[in-house]
Each structure stands twice: as C-alpha cells, then as structure tokens.
Amino acid sequence: MKQSYVQLRRVFMEEEALINKKLPKELLLRIFSCLDVVSLCRCAQVSKSWNILALDGSNWQRIDLFDFQTDVEGPVIENLSRRCGGFLRKLSLRGCQSIADGSMKLFAQLCNNVEDLNLNLCKKITDSTCQALSKHCPKLQRLDLGSCTVISDLSLKALADGCPALTHLNISWCENVTQNGVEALARGCPKLRSFMCCGCTQVNDAAVNVLAEHCNSLEVVNLFGCNNITDEAVTRLADNCYGLRYLCLSGCPLLTDTSLIVLAQQCHLLSTLEVAGCSQFTDTGFQALARSCHLLEKMDLEECILITDTTLMHLGMGCPRLEKLSLSHCELITDEGIRHLGMSPCAAENLTVLELDNCPLITDASLDNLVSCHNLQRIDLYDCQLITHTGIRRLRSNLPNIMVHAYFAPVTPPPAVGGTRQRYCRCCVIL
C-alpha cells in the first residue's frame, strides 16, 4: 500500500504530468467535487496543483466529520471555515466534544450560507453559538443541538430572531429549555416541520399549544419524557397539524385515551406512533386509532399495561401496513391476540419486527400463529416464561431467517431426596 502511494506521488508530483495536460482544471475540479473528505485530503498531498484543486472551497459544500475524526478541535473548524466560506451548505460535527463557541462564531461569520448544521453532543456549545448563527446565517434550515446541555431559552429566542427559514430543530436533552424558549421559537420560525425535544421536562402544555398554533406544517414531533404534557397539548397538535407523520409521546404518563381519539379524528397521515409508558391508554383509544389511521407502520406500545387482545384485533384489521410493533410488558396480551395479528392483512407482507418481552401469558401457540408472517425478521421473547425451546425451533423451521431474542432461566435443581437438609456441609463432615 505504501509503495503504491509513493508511486502515485511520483507520477503526479510533476506539474506537467500527463493527466494535468490532458484534463482542464475545470474538469479536474468537477471530479474532485465527487470525493469525500478523506479522498480530498489524500489528493491534496499528491502535488501542488492538486493541493490547490482539492482544497478549493467549492469541493467542501457538504462535510461530515463523524466517520472521519471525532476528536476535531477548534483550529480545524476555523481552517475549514476560511477555506469553504460561502460554499459550505452542510456541516456535521456530531460528537466533536472539543468544539467550543469561539470556533463556531468564526464559522458563522465566514460560512453564512450554511443550511444544515449538526452539533449533536458538542457539549461545550453555549447560547453564544446560536446567537452568532442568528446574526450571520439567515439561510439555516436544519439545526441539531441534541445533548448540548448548556443551551437555554436564549438560543431559541436568537434562532427565532435570525433564522426564519428553520424547518428542523433538535433540542433533545437540553434541560434548560422552558416554555418561554419554545414559544419564542414557534412565533419566529413558522416553517418548522420537525421538532424534537426528548427529555426537556420543562416543556409543558402551554409551550406545545403555541408550537401547534404557529407551526401547523409540523410533520415530526418528539416529546419523549416531557412528563408534564397532558391531553390538552396533544389535542392542540392534532387540531392544528394535520400533516403529522411521526409522533413520540413515550414517557408522558398523564395522557389518556382522549389523546388517541383526537389523533384518530385529525391525523390520518400518521405512520409512526411511539407511546411507551403511557399506562392510561386502553383498547378504546387504539380501536379509534385503528379505524382511521390506516397508514401506521411503526408502533411502540411498551408498558401500555391496560391493553388486551382487543387492541391487536383492531390494529391487525385496520393497519395493513404495520411493520414494527412493540408489545413488551403488555401483560394482558394472550395467544388469542397474537392469533388475530398472525391472520391480519399486515402479517403476510409487512410485519418485520415483533417485540413481546415480558408478556407472561404468551405460549408456543403464539409462535405457531406467526408462521404466516413470511417477512418477520425479528421477534423478542425475553421473560416469556411459557415459551419453550421446542416452540422456537418450530418457528425457525418455518421462518429460517428470523432472529429470535429469548432468555431461558437455568432450571431450578430438584430438592434433595427425602426433603431433609444436611446438618453439616461436606467440609465439616470431613473435618
């Protein structure tokens, strides 16, 4: 490998190399524009002319450093900013925890045409970065600030003032964000289509209400762990955002069937619904949902502890596109529910993942009822104590490519003959 690299350098180090004579620099530049970051860096080491071409800002419009080097420090970003300037449209610094506000301020000043910026897990970033983006980057459309834990309402207010084109925002695990920040954002960024705020426990009904009122183009909303949310917020979302396709309400334990019913009435385009831990939901809510939301493909119902086989019967008949379904810890589900699911329109063609962890009433009969699910790729059966090795082998004989995740506790040893306990351990007897 090293020898071939040396030979390549020898061939191209002369400025009068044949390829440089035959191909105009404009064409070489166009070829370089198709290369990734690593390839461009290698080409830059070949010759002086290739160095100039490879490092031309027009080749660095979309940069993702995550797969290249995650310990990038400030000077690298500053050099990139100077090189790329107005050419840069997309930059991902996901996981680059050494990046701080100073470098990002220079970036905002020099790369003011940026449209897509990923700062996920850049934990040194503060409100100063968002204020710089607001001041210099009016074309910003997508911004990921997930796990930038210092971010506060000041960032959202700055984005509202200077980035009206924003369509996608992730502020998950930014626990300092409150109702005030979300309301300001909603009023200043009406084009918002995706809003993710997992773990933002200070986001409440009032915040979601304003978001729904001003951003009625929302398609993706993730409120995971916003445990103060009630049916009022979901109702306002459903009434204003008919285009919702993805909704995560997992970890919102105050919600009731009212939320599911209003979603069924208004959000017929819903394809993904995650409601893990919503322990007040019952068959009534999911029955309404199944009657109206026929495009559902992925559902996470883990720990919806009140649902029964009735829910499976309605989902099986009303949601023919269903691909992934989690019923873990739904302890009232029985073989009869799985039978309905196995006979449903979604079973033969679409169902690929079924999670049944901690469903204590499920037996091998359920596995027999799934053999018609020809595309089933994975089934989870942890702590399903009535499932046996024999049942799993029978399922695999019909679906040889399926992955089965199961755990069987060691067999409890039988009691000693006669039921009497030895008075002394073996060592004591020997002694």
Side-chain angles (χ1 to χ4, degrees):
M1 183 71 181
K2 185 176 181 179
Q3 183 178 1
S4 62
Y5 175 72
V6 171
Q7 291 173 343
L8 184 66
R9 277 186 57 86
R10 191 176 299 145
V11 170
F12 294 114
M13 68 187 302
E14 297 294 333
E15 298 304 318
E16 298 302 315
L18 185 60
I19 190 171
N20 294 330
K21 290 181 179 180
K22 293 291 185 181
L23 296 180
K25 286 185 170 47
E26 293 79 9
L27 183 54
L28 283 171
L29 196 60
R30 182 64 180 270
I31 294 172
F32 286 162
S33 70
C34 299
L35 301 179
D36 58 24
V37 172
V38 177
S39 300
L40 284 170
C41 289
R42 288 173 177 168
C43 288
Q45 300 176 58
V46 169
S47 68
K48 291 181 180 179
S49 60
W50 277 34
N51 180 276
I52 294 172
L53 292 171
L55 299 184
D56 188 275
S58 63
N59 294 324
W60 298 73
Q61 297 184 36
R62 298 178 178 276
I63 305 172
D64 187 344
L65 296 179
F66 184 75
D67 294 324
F68 175 53
Q69 187 174 355
T70 57
D71 57 348
V72 170
E73 297 188 357
V76 174
I77 302 306
E78 293 165 15
N79 290 336
L80 274 175
S81 301
R82 295 186 182 97
R83 178 178 303 131
C84 301
F87 287 109
L88 189 65
R89 297 292 186 274
K90 179 179 179 180
L91 175 64
S92 177
L93 299 174
R94 180 167 58 106
C96 298
Q97 299 194 38
S98 298
I99 300 302
D101 291 328
S103 301
M104 293 310 302
K105 288 180 181 178
L106 180 63
F107 166 83
Q109 293 170 12
L110 299 179
C111 303
N112 50 17
N113 288 320
V114 66
E115 299 171 357
D116 188 335
L117 180 60
N118 190 336
L119 298 174
N120 197 293
L121 282 171
C122 296
K123 295 187 177 182
K124 291 185 177 181
I125 295 299
T126 75
D127 295 325
S128 296
T129 288
C130 289
Q131 289 166 341
L133 292 172
S134 170
K135 184 176 181 180
H136 300 290
C137 303
K139 297 181 180 180
L140 190 63
Q141 297 177 19
R142 307 173 73 101
L143 179 61
D144 190 339
L145 297 170
S147 297
C148 295
T149 52
V150 186
I151 292 297
S152 74
D153 289 340
L154 292 177
S155 287
L156 272 61
K157 291 176 180 177
L159 293 171
D161 291 338
C163 302
L166 202 64
T167 58
H168 295 72
L169 178 65
N170 181 9
I171 54 168
S172 296
W173 314 112
C174 297
E175 297 181 0
N176 295 321
V177 169
T178 74
Q179 168 189 338
N180 294 331
V182 175
E183 290 181 357
L185 177 80
R187 293 188 172 96
C189 301
K191 297 180 180 180
L192 209 61
R193 298 205 311 270
S194 174
F195 180 72
M196 306 182 74
C197 64
C198 304
C200 296
T201 55
Q202 298 189 68
V203 173
N204 56 17
D205 284 353
V208 177
N209 291 347
V210 174
L211 188 72
E213 179 183 353
H214 292 275
C215 305
N216 49 28
S217 295
L218 279 168
E219 298 175 2
V220 174
V221 176
N222 193 327
L223 300 172
F224 174 87
C226 298
N227 50 23
N228 293 314
I229 297 296
T230 73
D231 293 329
E232 177 189 344
V234 179
T235 299
R236 189 67 66 88
L237 268 178
D239 287 342
N240 288 275
C241 306
Y242 303 128
L244 272 179
R245 298 178 186 274
Y246 171 99
L247 179 61
C248 178
L249 301 171
S250 295
C252 299
L254 301 181
L255 301 180
T256 72
D257 284 339
T258 299
S259 290
L260 295 182
I261 292 170
V262 73
L263 288 171
Q265 293 170 345
Q266 306 287 11
C267 301
H268 299 159
L269 298 179
L270 204 60
S271 63
T272 298
L273 179 65
E274 299 175 0
V275 291
C278 295
S279 56
Q280 297 190 61
F281 287 166
T282 73
D283 295 331
T284 301
F286 289 110
Q287 180 178 350
L289 204 68
R291 284 176 176 171
S292 301
C293 299
H294 304 303
L295 301 182
L296 279 166
E297 297 176 355
K298 301 174 183 177
M299 297 187 71
D300 184 353
L301 313 186
E302 181 174 349
E303 293 185 350
C304 291
I305 56 176
L306 298 181
I307 65 172
T308 70
D309 295 337
T310 302
T311 287
L312 290 192
M313 181 178 67
H314 288 288
L315 290 180
M317 295 305 297
C319 304
R321 297 190 179 190
L322 202 58
E323 297 176 5
K324 298 182 179 180
L325 178 61
S326 176
L327 299 167
S328 297
H329 296 270
C330 297
E331 298 186 359
L332 301 180
I333 298 297
T334 73
D335 294 335
E336 184 65 13
I338 302 301
R339 185 180 71 83
H340 282 293
L341 187 65
M343 296 171 57
S344 68
C346 72
E349 298 299 329
N350 295 317
L351 193 63
T352 58
V353 175
L354 182 60
E355 298 176 359
L356 297 170
D357 297 335
N358 291 93
C359 292
L361 303 181
I362 297 297
T363 74
D364 290 347
S366 286
L367 304 187
D368 294 336
N369 288 320
L370 293 172
V371 296
S372 59
C373 302
H374 304 300
N375 289 314
L376 195 60
Q377 298 172 8
R378 193 188 93 217
I379 184 168
D380 292 357
L381 299 166
Y382 291 114
D383 292 316
C384 293
Q385 298 177 13
L386 300 181
I387 296 292
T388 69
H389 288 287
T390 302
I392 291 176
R393 281 195 295 267
R394 198 157 56 235
L395 177 66
R396 280 179 168 155
S397 68
N398 288 279
L399 302 173
N401 296 321
I402 192 172
M403 289 190 300
V404 179
H405 297 162
Y407 169 77
F408 294 92
V411 177
T412 303
V417 177
T420 58
R421 183 177 178 183
Q422 287 187 352
R423 190 173 173 187
Y424 302 107
C425 71
R426 186 177 178 184
C427 296
C428 294
V429 172
I430 293 173
L431 291 172

